[in-house]
Amino acid sequence: MCVFPIISPFLFYIVVKYLIYLLSIIFLCGLNVGLAPYLRIYGQVPNFLFLIAVIWSVDKTDDDFWFFALFAGLFMDFSAGAWVGTFAIPLLLVCLAIRLLVQNYLVLELSLKYLAIVLFPAQLLFYFGSVGYAFVFYKLGLAAYPPSASGWLGSWVAGFLYNAALLYPMYIAAGYLKTFLGKYVVREYKVR
Amino acid sequence: MRFIYTKTFAIFAGCLVAVCLLAVMQVKGWLDPITEIFIQSPRPVEFAARAVARPVQGFFSTIFELRKIDSENTRLEQEVYSLQQQLVGYDQLRRENDALRKELGFVNTSPFALAPCTVLSENSFGVTDAFVLNCGGSQGVAVGQAVISEGYVVGKIIYAGKNSSTALLATSSKFVADAELSKTGADAIVTGSFGSGLILDHLSQNDDIEKGWLVTTAGINSQIPKGLLLGQVGDVISSPNDLFKKATVVSPVDFNNLDFVFVAKP
């Protein structure tokens, strides 16, 4: 039974769904920020928010990845103390590129194996996008220092391997979240 | 159908416009309440994650360092005796200095005020070399000021919002601070070294330098007070043919584990 009878079940489902997404992003952001000092290898830490957005964008039947890309990027911007858009815009670009790839060039669903291959250029695009965006802010005189791509690239391999190692657990976690939404939330509000 | 007329592009463009709008608001300084929400909302999870990870890390690091503890203890005991002897001399000098100041009519001024801050997040995504503090302009924090932890400089403020600010880690390759050797007063520059430590550079070849000497801020930059500890001289890494002397600077602070810091307000 719907708790708020004034709101239609479908609208309520939408609200619940996005609330769950938002809580998931907040949870992953907290995990990333809280565990980062303890998980560092060659100065690199896994990026759960990047992974969840990438994983979500490979499902060609689902447009909810935009929500993940936008909010994961914004949470990364604010948590890292960067200018708004430093991570959000590259993440949106990465997710758009993956979606176009999946929609236009792949007939079958993208599997974990392909996802691992996609992760490499995706992360490269994400990092260079962030450096480029930060450089624009530096050129505009808003940032005190120019971004150092060499510093990032020096430990980039460690970051990529770290994310690749966590891809499968994140893929499973994303699968559970989708199952939860499909089985319980949809059934509860009798929509679809 | 052309790509720009698709739903995918429409959503992408909408998101892009929203982010750009937020960026403009941040530049104008209108984003502080939203920043607070975004920074504070993951805090409970962050606290829980830290509470679990810290004892685990402590346990393993203790096991790894057990062998070193005995030799380190002996070394520290010797260092304590030598420092106690030095302290006697310094006490005498301080008394003399106080007496002379009184004679000459010098006025004692507090070198700087400290603003206590909590570290909200620290280089969480491994790409920015920065950490976010929960204090900003309303606490007197301004761009360029030094951030101190355990008495040592750990960074410099690069962005100051109303209630939060961003500081650049001292180990970042972009970090630069004027410095001097406390023993001789020779001026130099301290820079970060790609996340691995600090480097003392631009020290004249004529100046002496020895391992263990203290490196402090020189006070040339008006935003950073003179005499803040940066670290101790480690190994000299330049050759006699180089234009300037170069050495590593060892800081006892764990830059990956900053919880509470102070911002030095000149």
Side-chain angles (χ1 to χ4, degrees):
Chain A
M1 205 184 99
C2 188
V3 183
F4 303 103
I6 306 158
I7 306 169
S8 73
F10 180 71
L11 191 67
F12 195 73
Y13 164 70
I14 297 288
V15 172
V16 169
K17 186 176 77 169
Y18 284 110
L19 201 65
I20 290 170
Y21 286 164
L22 190 64
L23 288 174
S24 313
I25 292 168
I26 289 172
F27 176 77
L28 287 174
C29 183
L31 214 59
N32 227 136
V33 173
L35 293 179
Y38 309 100
L39 295 174
R40 224 174 277 277
I41 297 176
Y42 289 109
Q44 287 295 310
V45 287
N47 194 333
F48 300 128
L49 294 175
F50 171 76
L51 287 175
I52 195 78
V54 166
I55 288 168
W56 222 273
S57 61
V58 298
D59 185 352
K60 62 171 92 172
T61 60
D62 198 347
D63 274 338
D64 293 344
F65 73 95
W66 290 116
F67 185 85
F68 276 93
L70 179 66
F71 277 89
L74 287 175
F75 269 98
M76 281 165 74
D77 288 336
F78 287 111
S79 301
W83 287 101
V84 173
T86 308
F87 297 112
I89 289 177
L91 196 56
L92 284 166
L93 276 171
V94 165
C95 291
L96 174 72
I98 293 173
R99 171 45 58 97
L100 290 177
L101 182 81
V102 171
Q103 249 176 4
N104 301 320
Y105 299 102
L106 290 174
V107 181
L108 299 168
E109 280 294 308
L110 197 69
S111 68
L112 184 70
K113 190 172 73 181
Y114 292 122
L115 190 62
I117 299 166
V118 162
L119 187 68
F120 186 80
Q123 201 166 324
L124 211 58
L125 178 64
F126 177 67
Y127 278 120
F128 276 113
S130 308
V131 171
Y133 188 86
F135 191 73
V136 169
F137 268 78
Y138 172 69
K139 277 285 167 194
L140 290 172
L142 296 164
Y145 302 95
S148 61
S150 56
W152 294 6
L153 288 173
S155 53
W156 185 83
V157 176
F160 168 71
L161 291 175
Y162 221 155
N163 279 343
L166 284 167
L167 189 62
Y168 186 63
M170 286 299 293
Y171 189 71
I172 298 290
Y176 275 123
L177 187 60
K178 278 185 185 181
T179 312
F180 171 76
L181 283 166
K183 269 189 179 174
Y184 302 104
V185 182
V186 173
R187 191 189 295 162
E188 183 72 17
Y189 299 106
K190 295 180 182 67
V191 287
R192 273 194 184 175
Chain B
M1 191 162 66
R2 287 179 67 180
F3 174 61
I4 54 164
Y5 299 126
T6 57
K7 185 185 165 193
T8 309
F9 180 77
I11 301 172
F12 174 71
C15 292
L16 212 60
V17 169
V19 174
C20 291
L21 210 64
L22 286 173
V24 170
M25 282 171 73
Q26 193 183 27
V27 170
K28 294 276 179 194
W30 303 333
L31 209 63
D32 285 319
I34 298 173
T35 308
E36 281 293 300
I37 295 167
F38 271 92
I39 290 176
Q40 295 293 346
S41 56
R43 289 284 281 166
V45 184
E46 190 194 321
F47 268 124
R50 277 182 196 222
V52 173
R54 192 172 291 147
V56 175
Q57 194 211 28
F59 174 74
F60 283 107
S61 63
T62 309
I63 287 176
F64 283 120
E65 284 169 8
L66 266 177
R67 276 189 298 176
K68 280 195 283 177
I69 284 175
D70 191 39
S71 59
E72 201 174 304
N73 192 39
T74 317
R75 187 180 59 80
L76 286 172
E77 271 179 5
Q78 284 172 349
E79 216 169 282
V80 167
Y81 294 139
S82 122
L83 287 171
Q84 276 173 342
Q85 279 179 339
Q86 276 184 31
L87 202 63
V88 176
Y90 286 138
D91 276 343
Q92 212 167 346
L93 284 172
R94 189 166 53 85
R95 279 199 300 273
E96 274 178 26
N97 188 37
D98 286 345
L100 283 168
R101 274 175 176 274
K102 227 176 195 174
E103 289 286 321
L104 295 166
F106 276 19
V107 180
N108 273 328
T109 51
S110 173
F112 51 85
L114 294 172
C117 307
T118 305
V119 177
L120 295 176
S121 78
E122 189 198 333
N123 197 13
S124 320
F125 302 96
V127 284
T128 51
D129 291 344
F131 52 104
V132 181
L133 307 175
N134 74 338
C135 47
S138 54
Q139 284 84 23
V141 173
V143 173
Q145 290 175 348
V147 184
I148 306 166
S149 176
E150 299 169 39
Y152 286 81
V153 173
V154 292
K156 205 156 71 167
I157 300 289
I158 52 170
Y159 170 78
K162 196 181 171 194
N163 291 312
S164 65
S165 53
T166 307
L168 184 74
L169 272 171
T171 51
S172 165
S173 58
K174 289 167 264 175
F175 178 87
V176 182
D178 49 72
E180 68 173 22
L181 291 168
S182 67
K183 202 99 171 177
T184 59
D187 288 327
I189 281 175
V190 162
T191 58
S193 176
F194 294 102
S196 60
L198 295 160
I199 301 282
L200 182 87
D201 203 352
H202 286 77
L203 181 71
S204 167
Q205 282 287 4
N206 300 326
D207 289 318
D208 292 328
I209 185 166
E210 261 180 47
K211 196 171 179 172
W213 282 8
L214 292 173
V215 182
T216 61
T217 53
I220 297 167
N221 180 346
S222 61
Q223 286 288 68
I224 301 178
K226 187 182 164 82
L228 296 177
L229 270 173
L230 283 156
Q232 285 185 347
V233 174
D235 299 312
V236 176
I237 50 175
S238 58
S239 67
N241 298 328
D242 288 338
L243 198 58
F244 293 107
K245 275 185 181 169
K246 206 172 181 180
T248 57
V249 176
V250 183
S251 172
V253 181
D254 182 1
F255 287 91
N256 292 328
N257 266 320
L258 299 171
D259 281 334
F260 301 102
V261 292
F262 293 95
V263 176
K265 298 182 287 180

